[in-house]
């Protein structure tokens, strides 16, 4: 997948979320992270939600999960999705995305991103959680 140019909003979100530095240090490149981000944001745009959310991103976690693909067991990465609404960034609530939307995003990620076999959705509010993952 070709790495696309990020908008200023998307760059701010990735930097604030602490993802770029983490993935460069952990994996040596950001290809998988950009693929995840592109899938999630493109589906948010298609659903008409992009302007209604404060921040949204996908995180490739450093833990792995057992799964099954075809007739084989797999041991691949877990992906966390995060989508929040806020007016000031000091408090935020998770966006109640439709199960059908989350299912579509999950299927795309598992089918299109090598090394992913489980997708979870973060339903933590701020506080006590922060918006970003570090």
């Amino acid at each position: 997948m070709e790495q696309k140019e990020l908008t200023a909003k998307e760059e701010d979100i990735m930097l604030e979320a602490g993802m770029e530095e983490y993935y460069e240090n952990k994996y040596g490149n950001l290809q998988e992270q950009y693929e995840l981000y592109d899938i999630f944001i493109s589906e948010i745009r298609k659903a008409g939600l992009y302007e209604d959310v404060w921040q949204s991103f996908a995180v490739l976690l450093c833990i792995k999960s057992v799964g099954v693909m075809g007739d084989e067991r797999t041991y691949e990465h877990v992906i966390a999705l995060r989508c929040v609404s806020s007016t000031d960034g000091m408090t935020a609530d998770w966006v109640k995305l439709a199960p059908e939307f989350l299912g579509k995003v999950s299927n795309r990620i598992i089918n299109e991103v090598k090394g992913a076999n489980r997708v979870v959705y973060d339903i933590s509010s701020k506080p006590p959680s922060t918006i970003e993952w570090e």
Side-chain angles (χ1 to χ4, degrees), residues 35-57:
E35 289 175 13
L36 294 169
Y37 188 80
D38 189 51
I39 290 169
F40 192 35
I41 298 304
S42 69
E43 292 298 333
I44 286 172
R45 286 181 189 277
K46 284 183 200 174
L49 300 170
Y50 188 77
E51 297 301 325
D52 297 329
V53 300
W54 179 269
Q55 288 187 5
S56 53
F57 53 88

PDB file of all heavy atoms in Angstrom, residues 35-57:
ATOM      1  N   GLU A  35      -1.458   1.816   7.211  1.00  0.00           N
ATOM      2  CA  GLU A  35      -2.534   1.029   6.603  1.00  0.00           C
ATOM      3  C   GLU A  35      -3.748   0.982   7.524  1.00  0.00           C
ATOM      4  O   GLU A  35      -4.879   1.171   7.084  1.00  0.00           O
ATOM      5  CB  GLU A  35      -2.051  -0.394   6.309  1.00  0.00           C
ATOM      6  CG  GLU A  35      -1.067  -0.477   5.171  1.00  0.00           C
ATOM      7  CD  GLU A  35      -0.513  -1.873   4.974  1.00  0.00           C
ATOM      8  OE1 GLU A  35      -1.066  -2.831   5.553  1.00  0.00           O
ATOM      9  OE2 GLU A  35       0.468  -2.011   4.243  1.00  0.00           O
ATOM     10  N   LEU A  36      -3.513   0.723   8.814  1.00  0.00           N
ATOM     11  CA  LEU A  36      -4.607   0.694   9.789  1.00  0.00           C
ATOM     12  C   LEU A  36      -5.326   2.030   9.835  1.00  0.00           C
ATOM     13  O   LEU A  36      -6.558   2.103   9.807  1.00  0.00           O
ATOM     14  CB  LEU A  36      -4.068   0.386  11.186  1.00  0.00           C
ATOM     15  CG  LEU A  36      -3.470  -0.981  11.404  1.00  0.00           C
ATOM     16  CD1 LEU A  36      -2.748  -1.020  12.729  1.00  0.00           C
ATOM     17  CD2 LEU A  36      -4.551  -2.028  11.340  1.00  0.00           C
ATOM     18  N   TYR A  37      -4.539   3.073   9.951  1.00  0.00           N
ATOM     19  CA  TYR A  37      -5.086   4.420  10.044  1.00  0.00           C
ATOM     20  C   TYR A  37      -5.915   4.751   8.804  1.00  0.00           C
ATOM     21  O   TYR A  37      -7.022   5.275   8.908  1.00  0.00           O
ATOM     22  CB  TYR A  37      -3.942   5.425  10.224  1.00  0.00           C
ATOM     23  CG  TYR A  37      -4.416   6.812  10.530  1.00  0.00           C
ATOM     24  CD1 TYR A  37      -4.798   7.165  11.817  1.00  0.00           C
ATOM     25  CD2 TYR A  37      -4.504   7.773   9.539  1.00  0.00           C
ATOM     26  CE1 TYR A  37      -5.247   8.444  12.107  1.00  0.00           C
ATOM     27  CE2 TYR A  37      -4.947   9.046   9.824  1.00  0.00           C
ATOM     28  CZ  TYR A  37      -5.316   9.374  11.101  1.00  0.00           C
ATOM     29  OH  TYR A  37      -5.769  10.639  11.373  1.00  0.00           O
ATOM     30  N   ASP A  38      -5.390   4.411   7.640  1.00  0.00           N
ATOM     31  CA  ASP A  38      -6.086   4.711   6.396  1.00  0.00           C
ATOM     32  C   ASP A  38      -7.419   3.972   6.315  1.00  0.00           C
ATOM     33  O   ASP A  38      -8.436   4.548   5.912  1.00  0.00           O
ATOM     34  CB  ASP A  38      -5.204   4.352   5.198  1.00  0.00           C
ATOM     35  CG  ASP A  38      -5.802   4.837   3.897  1.00  0.00           C
ATOM     36  OD1 ASP A  38      -6.166   6.024   3.810  1.00  0.00           O
ATOM     37  OD2 ASP A  38      -5.906   4.029   2.964  1.00  0.00           O
ATOM     38  N   ILE A  39      -7.445   2.710   6.708  1.00  0.00           N
ATOM     39  CA  ILE A  39      -8.696   1.941   6.683  1.00  0.00           C
ATOM     40  C   ILE A  39      -9.722   2.570   7.624  1.00  0.00           C
ATOM     41  O   ILE A  39     -10.865   2.826   7.238  1.00  0.00           O
ATOM     42  CB  ILE A  39      -8.448   0.463   7.055  1.00  0.00           C
ATOM     43  CG1 ILE A  39      -7.677  -0.237   5.932  1.00  0.00           C
ATOM     44  CG2 ILE A  39      -9.772  -0.260   7.345  1.00  0.00           C
ATOM     45  CD1 ILE A  39      -7.149  -1.611   6.313  1.00  0.00           C
ATOM     46  N   PHE A  40      -9.326   2.825   8.867  1.00  0.00           N
ATOM     47  CA  PHE A  40     -10.270   3.352   9.856  1.00  0.00           C
ATOM     48  C   PHE A  40     -10.781   4.731   9.453  1.00  0.00           C
ATOM     49  O   PHE A  40     -11.992   4.980   9.446  1.00  0.00           O
ATOM     50  CB  PHE A  40      -9.602   3.389  11.233  1.00  0.00           C
ATOM     51  CG  PHE A  40     -10.543   3.634  12.381  1.00  0.00           C
ATOM     52  CD1 PHE A  40     -11.833   3.145  12.391  1.00  0.00           C
ATOM     53  CD2 PHE A  40     -10.115   4.348  13.492  1.00  0.00           C
ATOM     54  CE1 PHE A  40     -12.697   3.359  13.471  1.00  0.00           C
ATOM     55  CE2 PHE A  40     -10.967   4.571  14.573  1.00  0.00           C
ATOM     56  CZ  PHE A  40     -12.253   4.082  14.554  1.00  0.00           C
ATOM     57  N   ILE A  41      -9.885   5.626   9.077  1.00  0.00           N
ATOM     58  CA  ILE A  41     -10.300   6.992   8.714  1.00  0.00           C
ATOM     59  C   ILE A  41     -11.128   6.989   7.433  1.00  0.00           C
ATOM     60  O   ILE A  41     -12.120   7.722   7.332  1.00  0.00           O
ATOM     61  CB  ILE A  41      -9.080   7.924   8.594  1.00  0.00           C
ATOM     62  CG1 ILE A  41      -8.354   8.028   9.941  1.00  0.00           C
ATOM     63  CG2 ILE A  41      -9.503   9.308   8.095  1.00  0.00           C
ATOM     64  CD1 ILE A  41      -9.218   8.480  11.110  1.00  0.00           C
ATOM     65  N   SER A  42     -10.776   6.163   6.460  1.00  0.00           N
ATOM     66  CA  SER A  42     -11.568   6.149   5.224  1.00  0.00           C
ATOM     67  C   SER A  42     -12.989   5.653   5.500  1.00  0.00           C
ATOM     68  O   SER A  42     -13.953   6.183   4.929  1.00  0.00           O
ATOM     69  CB  SER A  42     -10.895   5.298   4.143  1.00  0.00           C
ATOM     70  OG  SER A  42     -10.910   3.931   4.471  1.00  0.00           O
ATOM     71  N   GLU A  43     -13.145   4.684   6.390  1.00  0.00           N
ATOM     72  CA  GLU A  43     -14.489   4.206   6.740  1.00  0.00           C
ATOM     73  C   GLU A  43     -15.248   5.251   7.555  1.00  0.00           C
ATOM     74  O   GLU A  43     -16.461   5.404   7.390  1.00  0.00           O
ATOM     75  CB  GLU A  43     -14.421   2.872   7.484  1.00  0.00           C
ATOM     76  CG  GLU A  43     -13.951   1.714   6.621  1.00  0.00           C
ATOM     77  CD  GLU A  43     -14.874   1.410   5.446  1.00  0.00           C
ATOM     78  OE1 GLU A  43     -16.090   1.688   5.524  1.00  0.00           O
ATOM     79  OE2 GLU A  43     -14.368   0.881   4.428  1.00  0.00           O
ATOM     80  N   ILE A  44     -14.562   5.982   8.415  1.00  0.00           N
ATOM     81  CA  ILE A  44     -15.203   7.074   9.164  1.00  0.00           C
ATOM     82  C   ILE A  44     -15.690   8.152   8.193  1.00  0.00           C
ATOM     83  O   ILE A  44     -16.807   8.660   8.319  1.00  0.00           O
ATOM     84  CB  ILE A  44     -14.243   7.654  10.218  1.00  0.00           C
ATOM     85  CG1 ILE A  44     -14.127   6.665  11.386  1.00  0.00           C
ATOM     86  CG2 ILE A  44     -14.702   9.027  10.711  1.00  0.00           C
ATOM     87  CD1 ILE A  44     -13.076   7.022  12.401  1.00  0.00           C
ATOM     88  N   ARG A  45     -14.870   8.465   7.204  1.00  0.00           N
ATOM     89  CA  ARG A  45     -15.270   9.453   6.184  1.00  0.00           C
ATOM     90  C   ARG A  45     -16.483   8.956   5.397  1.00  0.00           C
ATOM     91  O   ARG A  45     -17.445   9.697   5.191  1.00  0.00           O
ATOM     92  CB  ARG A  45     -14.117   9.748   5.235  1.00  0.00           C
ATOM     93  CG  ARG A  45     -13.020  10.599   5.815  1.00  0.00           C
ATOM     94  CD  ARG A  45     -11.941  10.828   4.753  1.00  0.00           C
ATOM     95  NE  ARG A  45     -10.771  11.458   5.275  1.00  0.00           N
ATOM     96  CZ  ARG A  45     -10.615  12.769   5.458  1.00  0.00           C
ATOM     97  NH1 ARG A  45     -11.598  13.592   5.168  1.00  0.00           N
ATOM     98  NH2 ARG A  45      -9.495  13.257   5.939  1.00  0.00           N
ATOM     99  N   LYS A  46     -16.443   7.699   4.941  1.00  0.00           N
ATOM    100  CA  LYS A  46     -17.563   7.131   4.164  1.00  0.00           C
ATOM    101  C   LYS A  46     -18.861   7.167   4.960  1.00  0.00           C
ATOM    102  O   LYS A  46     -19.941   7.350   4.395  1.00  0.00           O
ATOM    103  CB  LYS A  46     -17.270   5.683   3.769  1.00  0.00           C
ATOM    104  CG  LYS A  46     -16.306   5.526   2.643  1.00  0.00           C
ATOM    105  CD  LYS A  46     -16.176   4.039   2.319  1.00  0.00           C
ATOM    106  CE  LYS A  46     -14.919   3.730   1.572  1.00  0.00           C
ATOM    107  NZ  LYS A  46     -14.723   2.285   1.395  1.00  0.00           N
ATOM    108  N   ALA A  47     -18.759   6.969   6.277  1.00  0.00           N
ATOM    109  CA  ALA A  47     -19.953   6.962   7.134  1.00  0.00           C
ATOM    110  C   ALA A  47     -20.420   8.372   7.488  1.00  0.00           C
ATOM    111  O   ALA A  47     -21.431   8.539   8.171  1.00  0.00           O
ATOM    112  CB  ALA A  47     -19.670   6.166   8.408  1.00  0.00           C
ATOM    113  N   GLY A  48     -19.667   9.403   7.045  1.00  0.00           N
ATOM    114  CA  GLY A  48     -20.044  10.786   7.326  1.00  0.00           C
ATOM    115  C   GLY A  48     -19.786  11.218   8.763  1.00  0.00           C
ATOM    116  O   GLY A  48     -20.405  12.162   9.249  1.00  0.00           O
ATOM    117  N   LEU A  49     -18.840  10.563   9.435  1.00  0.00           N
ATOM    118  CA  LEU A  49     -18.562  10.858  10.846  1.00  0.00           C
ATOM    119  C   LEU A  49     -17.319  11.716  11.063  1.00  0.00           C
ATOM    120  O   LEU A  49     -17.075  12.168  12.180  1.00  0.00           O
ATOM    121  CB  LEU A  49     -18.371   9.539  11.616  1.00  0.00           C
ATOM    122  CG  LEU A  49     -19.553   8.582  11.617  1.00  0.00           C
ATOM    123  CD1 LEU A  49     -19.141   7.231  12.194  1.00  0.00           C
ATOM    124  CD2 LEU A  49     -20.702   9.181  12.404  1.00  0.00           C
ATOM    125  N   TYR A  50     -16.523  11.931  10.030  1.00  0.00           N
ATOM    126  CA  TYR A  50     -15.204  12.543  10.197  1.00  0.00           C
ATOM    127  C   TYR A  50     -15.255  13.904  10.904  1.00  0.00           C
ATOM    128  O   TYR A  50     -14.454  14.161  11.806  1.00  0.00           O
ATOM    129  CB  TYR A  50     -14.496  12.674   8.846  1.00  0.00           C
ATOM    130  CG  TYR A  50     -13.061  13.111   8.963  1.00  0.00           C
ATOM    131  CD1 TYR A  50     -12.074  12.210   9.349  1.00  0.00           C
ATOM    132  CD2 TYR A  50     -12.685  14.417   8.678  1.00  0.00           C
ATOM    133  CE1 TYR A  50     -10.751  12.592   9.460  1.00  0.00           C
ATOM    134  CE2 TYR A  50     -11.361  14.809   8.787  1.00  0.00           C
ATOM    135  CZ  TYR A  50     -10.401  13.897   9.177  1.00  0.00           C
ATOM    136  OH  TYR A  50      -9.088  14.297   9.288  1.00  0.00           O
ATOM    137  N   GLU A  51     -16.150  14.753  10.522  1.00  0.00           N
ATOM    138  CA  GLU A  51     -16.223  16.090  11.120  1.00  0.00           C
ATOM    139  C   GLU A  51     -16.901  16.093  12.483  1.00  0.00           C
ATOM    140  O   GLU A  51     -16.842  17.088  13.200  1.00  0.00           O
ATOM    141  CB  GLU A  51     -16.938  17.057  10.169  1.00  0.00           C
ATOM    142  CG  GLU A  51     -16.220  17.264   8.848  1.00  0.00           C
ATOM    143  CD  GLU A  51     -14.798  17.810   9.013  1.00  0.00           C
ATOM    144  OE1 GLU A  51     -14.557  18.614   9.926  1.00  0.00           O
ATOM    145  OE2 GLU A  51     -13.932  17.424   8.204  1.00  0.00           O
ATOM    146  N   ASP A  52     -17.519  14.982  12.866  1.00  0.00           N
ATOM    147  CA  ASP A  52     -18.251  14.913  14.128  1.00  0.00           C
ATOM    148  C   ASP A  52     -17.438  14.338  15.288  1.00  0.00           C
ATOM    149  O   ASP A  52     -17.927  14.306  16.412  1.00  0.00           O
ATOM    150  CB  ASP A  52     -19.516  14.059  13.962  1.00  0.00           C
ATOM    151  CG  ASP A  52     -20.472  14.675  12.954  1.00  0.00           C
ATOM    152  OD1 ASP A  52     -20.500  15.913  12.832  1.00  0.00           O
ATOM    153  OD2 ASP A  52     -21.183  13.909  12.288  1.00  0.00           O
ATOM    154  N   VAL A  53     -16.227  13.846  15.007  1.00  0.00           N
ATOM    155  CA  VAL A  53     -15.411  13.258  16.071  1.00  0.00           C
ATOM    156  C   VAL A  53     -14.210  14.154  16.354  1.00  0.00           C
ATOM    157  O   VAL A  53     -13.730  14.878  15.494  1.00  0.00           O
ATOM    158  CB  VAL A  53     -14.947  11.823  15.733  1.00  0.00           C
ATOM    159  CG1 VAL A  53     -16.131  10.903  15.520  1.00  0.00           C
ATOM    160  CG2 VAL A  53     -14.029  11.797  14.543  1.00  0.00           C
ATOM    161  N   TRP A  54     -13.753  14.101  17.603  1.00  0.00           N
ATOM    162  CA  TRP A  54     -12.586  14.898  18.011  1.00  0.00           C
ATOM    163  C   TRP A  54     -11.314  14.239  17.497  1.00  0.00           C
ATOM    164  O   TRP A  54     -10.483  14.882  16.877  1.00  0.00           O
ATOM    165  CB  TRP A  54     -12.578  15.012  19.535  1.00  0.00           C
ATOM    166  CG  TRP A  54     -11.432  15.788  20.086  1.00  0.00           C
ATOM    167  CD1 TRP A  54     -10.223  15.293  20.470  1.00  0.00           C
ATOM    168  CD2 TRP A  54     -11.378  17.186  20.335  1.00  0.00           C
ATOM    169  NE1 TRP A  54      -9.428  16.296  20.951  1.00  0.00           N
ATOM    170  CE2 TRP A  54     -10.123  17.472  20.881  1.00  0.00           C
ATOM    171  CE3 TRP A  54     -12.282  18.229  20.163  1.00  0.00           C
ATOM    172  CZ2 TRP A  54      -9.736  18.756  21.253  1.00  0.00           C
ATOM    173  CZ3 TRP A  54     -11.898  19.503  20.534  1.00  0.00           C
ATOM    174  CH2 TRP A  54     -10.644  19.758  21.067  1.00  0.00           C
ATOM    175  N   GLN A  55     -11.158  12.959  17.810  1.00  0.00           N
ATOM    176  CA  GLN A  55     -10.008  12.189  17.338  1.00  0.00           C
ATOM    177  C   GLN A  55     -10.422  10.747  17.103  1.00  0.00           C
ATOM    178  O   GLN A  55     -11.269  10.211  17.809  1.00  0.00           O
ATOM    179  CB  GLN A  55      -8.867  12.193  18.365  1.00  0.00           C
ATOM    180  CG  GLN A  55      -8.149  13.499  18.472  1.00  0.00           C
ATOM    181  CD  GLN A  55      -6.917  13.396  19.366  1.00  0.00           C
ATOM    182  OE1 GLN A  55      -6.542  12.320  19.836  1.00  0.00           O
ATOM    183  NE2 GLN A  55      -6.291  14.512  19.602  1.00  0.00           N
ATOM    184  N   SER A  56      -9.776  10.127  16.125  1.00  0.00           N
ATOM    185  CA  SER A  56      -9.981   8.707  15.877  1.00  0.00           C
ATOM    186  C   SER A  56      -8.710   8.149  15.273  1.00  0.00           C
ATOM    187  O   SER A  56      -8.055   8.802  14.456  1.00  0.00           O
ATOM    188  CB  SER A  56     -11.180   8.478  14.956  1.00  0.00           C
ATOM    189  OG  SER A  56     -11.058   9.238  13.788  1.00  0.00           O
ATOM    190  N   PHE A  57      -8.341   6.960  15.703  1.00  0.00           N
ATOM    191  CA  PHE A  57      -7.140   6.317  15.182  1.00  0.00           C
ATOM    192  C   PHE A  57      -7.167   4.840  15.518  1.00  0.00           C
ATOM    193  O   PHE A  57      -7.956   4.378  16.331  1.00  0.00           O
ATOM    194  CB  PHE A  57      -5.864   6.974  15.734  1.00  0.00           C
ATOM    195  CG  PHE A  57      -5.814   7.083  17.236  1.00  0.00           C
ATOM    196  CD1 PHE A  57      -5.301   6.046  18.017  1.00  0.00           C
ATOM    197  CD2 PHE A  57      -6.276   8.229  17.875  1.00  0.00           C
ATOM    198  CE1 PHE A  57      -5.256   6.157  19.399  1.00  0.00           C
ATOM    199  CE2 PHE A  57      -6.235   8.345  19.256  1.00  0.00           C
ATOM    200  CZ  PHE A  57      -5.717   7.302  20.018  1.00  0.00           C
TER     201      PHE A  57
END
